[in-house]
């Protein structure tokens, strides 16, 4: 009698090994997304991995950094820089606005010894976006190394490290690209590699080490991986990039711009005291729209009530102290559609009405539709 196999088959299991050539081809496709000729390293973890690795690779006791704070991630970068022994000048602006190139120029003129500038492109947590092309020109003129967190902006707006003079550009796939959270990438300029090589404190033989990838992967012709790759995440990233290529990156960014414009217009038409958290539309990030709740309305409670009408809606309260006053509409990736925006506004209107506010969800839906480009 033949014994039957009890093995369970599953599409996630028993996959053939991911070759170095396949890994390198995915890196090349990510590089094309960034329109970069720089080296691109795919890191085997969420974007905090290359964000921290890039800072620890480049910063040390001899570093003088200008750290721009337009949200919580900027605060984190300043902490890492100080832990590395760098001297840090923080340039903080209110979270409802963006930093300007003029402010960067003034800070660099006041502290000419600055040789490292760290900036978040789009702060999904606060809903603002910073004018990186103009800032990059100022930083390049000064000669400092330019480090950019583009995790939330890639796919929602242009990200062009070569054209903007960005030396370290970190991206993640989990927001506007609609991909996996467990894999990320960083483009690295020759100047940044040289800074790391000269830094005795740069991580080596470490999961944080970019130099390990440079010496053992890139310099070796990308023929032998450092360790077994995170196969499922790599395959998901490849599928994500394929989908972006099929839709076209410019169409994806246009869809996110439309979602942001529709959400902002719809929130203003909804009434009930809900208003955009970022004051100027030009400074609002396309990846997510943040809204300030009316006085006396707790944002976390409002979101919880709104999600009763649709648990899959991309609504969240702000983090930390902002949880009481900020609602985030995370219209990114597959949620950057007019239907999702209108459903989110309707749910928020229902929740506000339960709080006793006078709202007009129909007007909100109409305003959102009018703000969405036709054709």
């Amino acid at each position: 009698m033949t014994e039957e196999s009890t093995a369970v088959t599953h599409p996630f299991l028993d996959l053939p090994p991911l070759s170095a050539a396949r890994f390198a081809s995915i890196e090349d496709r990510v590089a094309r997304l960034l329109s970069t000729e720089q080296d691109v390293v795919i890191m085997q973890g969420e974007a905090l991995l290359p964000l921290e690795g890039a800072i620890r690779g480049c910063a040390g006791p001899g570093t003088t950094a200008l750290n721009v704070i337009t949200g919580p991630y900027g605060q984190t970068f300043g902490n890492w820089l100080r832990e590395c022994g760098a001297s840090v000048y923080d340039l903080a602006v209110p979270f409802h606005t963006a930093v300007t190139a003029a402010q960067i120029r003034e800070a660099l003129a006041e502290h000419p010894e600055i040789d490292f500038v760290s900036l978040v492109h789009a702060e999904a947590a606060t809903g603002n976006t910073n004018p990186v092309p103009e800032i990059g020109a100022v930083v390049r003129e000064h000669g400092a190394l330019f480090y950019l967190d583009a995790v939330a902006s890639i796919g929602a707006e242009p990200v062009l490290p070569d054209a903007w003079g960005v030396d370290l550009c970190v991206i993640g796939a989990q927001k506007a690209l609609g991909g996996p959270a467990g894999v990320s990438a960083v483009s690295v300029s020759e100047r940044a590699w040289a800074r790391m090589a000269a830094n005795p404190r740069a991580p080596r033989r470490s999961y944080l080490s970019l130099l390990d990838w440079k010496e053992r992967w890139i310099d070796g012709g990308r023929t032998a991986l450092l360790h077994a790759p995170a196969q499922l995440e790599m395959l998901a990233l490849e599928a994500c990039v394929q989908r972006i290529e099929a839709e076209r990156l410019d169409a994806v960014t246009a869809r996110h711009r439309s979602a942001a414009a529709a959400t902002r217009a719809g929130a203003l038409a909804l009434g009930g005291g809900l208003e955009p958290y970022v004051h100027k539309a030009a400074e609002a990030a396309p990846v997510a729209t943040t809204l300030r709740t009316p006085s006396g309305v707790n944002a976390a409670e409002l979101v919880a009530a709104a999600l009763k009408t649709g648990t899959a809606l991309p609504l969240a309260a702000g983090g930390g102290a902002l949880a009481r006053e900020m609602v985030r509409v995370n219209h990114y990736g597959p949620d950057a559609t007019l239907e999702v925006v209108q459903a989110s506004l309707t749910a928020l209107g229902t929740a506000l009405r339960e709080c006793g506010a006078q709202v007009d969800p129909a007007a909100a839906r109409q305003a959102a539709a009018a703000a969405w480009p036709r054709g």
Side-chain angles (χ1 to χ4, degrees), residues 79-101:
N79 293 337
W80 286 339
L81 286 161
R82 290 182 175 89
E83 288 172 7
C84 291
S87 299
V88 181
Y89 295 101
D90 286 326
L91 172 56
V93 302
F95 288 177
H96 63 257
T97 188
V99 71
T100 67

Side-chain angles (χ1 to χ4, degrees), residues 4-373:
E4 293 186 9
S5 171
T6 58
V8 176
T9 61
H10 192 282
F12 293 168
L13 303 177
D14 306 316
L15 297 170
L18 189 75
S19 68
R22 182 84 169 271
F23 193 103
S25 73
I26 299 171
E27 280 187 338
D28 292 341
R29 295 175 90 158
V30 171
R32 287 194 291 272
L33 278 181
L34 294 169
S35 298
T36 184
E37 297 296 324
Q38 297 178 3
D39 291 323
V40 169
V41 179
I42 292 180
M43 302 292 282
Q44 302 291 279
E46 198 271 336
L48 281 174
L49 176 63
L51 286 169
E52 182 174 358
I55 282 182
R56 296 196 183 276
C58 289
T63 303
T64 303
L66 175 65
N67 179 53
V68 182
I69 301 175
T70 58
Y73 279 101
Q75 294 170 329
T76 297
F77 301 158
N79 293 337
W80 286 339
L81 286 161
R82 290 182 175 89
E83 288 172 7
C84 291
S87 299
V88 181
Y89 295 101
D90 286 326
L91 172 56
V93 302
F95 288 177
H96 63 257
T97 188
V99 71
T100 67
Q103 288 173 304
I104 301 289
R105 187 184 297 279
E106 182 179 346
L108 294 176
E110 186 176 351
H111 304 286
E113 70 275 21
I114 288 171
D115 58 6
F116 187 95
V117 175
S118 51
L119 174 72
V120 178
H121 187 182
E123 284 270 12
T126 50
N128 56 42
T129 191
N130 293 300
V132 180
E134 293 85 354
I135 291 170
V138 171
V139 175
R140 184 166 55 246
E141 179 184 338
H142 183 80
L145 214 64
F146 191 13
Y147 163 101
L148 184 69
D149 171 354
V151 175
S153 54
I154 182 67
E157 52 190 305
V159 176
L160 302 167
D162 292 13
W164 299 345
V166 178
D167 295 286
L168 296 152
C169 183
V170 177
I171 66 169
Q174 70 268 31
K175 286 189 168 62
L177 296 183
V183 66
S184 49
V186 54
S187 65
V188 187
S189 72
E190 289 300 324
R191 292 199 321 149
W193 283 132
R195 181 77 66 92
M196 286 185 226
N199 181 10
R201 294 196 177 190
R204 305 303 299 271
R205 301 298 183 264
S206 163
Y207 209 57
L208 285 171
S209 178
L210 287 172
L211 280 176
D212 286 356
W213 283 95
K214 173 75 164 68
E215 295 176 0
R216 298 168 59 192
W217 171 243
I218 296 171
D219 292 348
R222 299 194 299 176
T223 59
L225 288 160
L226 274 64
H227 44 69
Q231 184 160 336
L232 291 176
E233 286 76 9
M234 289 298 296
L235 293 175
L237 176 61
E238 183 180 50
C240 163
V241 175
Q242 288 173 340
R243 187 169 62 184
I244 297 295
E245 291 170 345
E247 186 178 353
R248 298 191 331 275
L249 184 59
D250 59 345
V252 176
T253 57
R255 183 160 50 81
H256 284 80
R257 285 196 306 271
S258 297
T263 304
R264 191 176 184 92
L268 289 170
L270 179 64
L274 203 64
E275 59 185 27
Y277 186 86
V278 178
H279 293 180
K280 297 179 181 178
E283 296 177 347
V287 69
T289 298
T290 49
L291 303 168
R292 189 184 299 276
T293 54
S295 177
V297 176
N298 182 289
E301 295 174 359
L302 183 70
V303 167
L307 289 176
K308 290 178 181 179
T309 67
T311 57
L313 292 174
L315 298 172
L322 296 175
R324 297 186 62 83
E325 64 180 30
M326 178 192 287
V327 171
R328 285 173 50 183
V329 184
N330 295 315
H331 44 66
Y332 52 70
D335 287 330
T337 68
L338 177 59
E339 293 73 21
V340 169
V341 168
Q342 289 176 321
S344 298
L345 293 167
T346 299
L348 288 171
T350 299
L352 281 168
R353 184 175 286 143
E354 292 175 358
C355 296
Q358 296 294 318
V359 293
D360 191 343
R365 291 192 294 270
Q366 291 171 2
W372 197 284

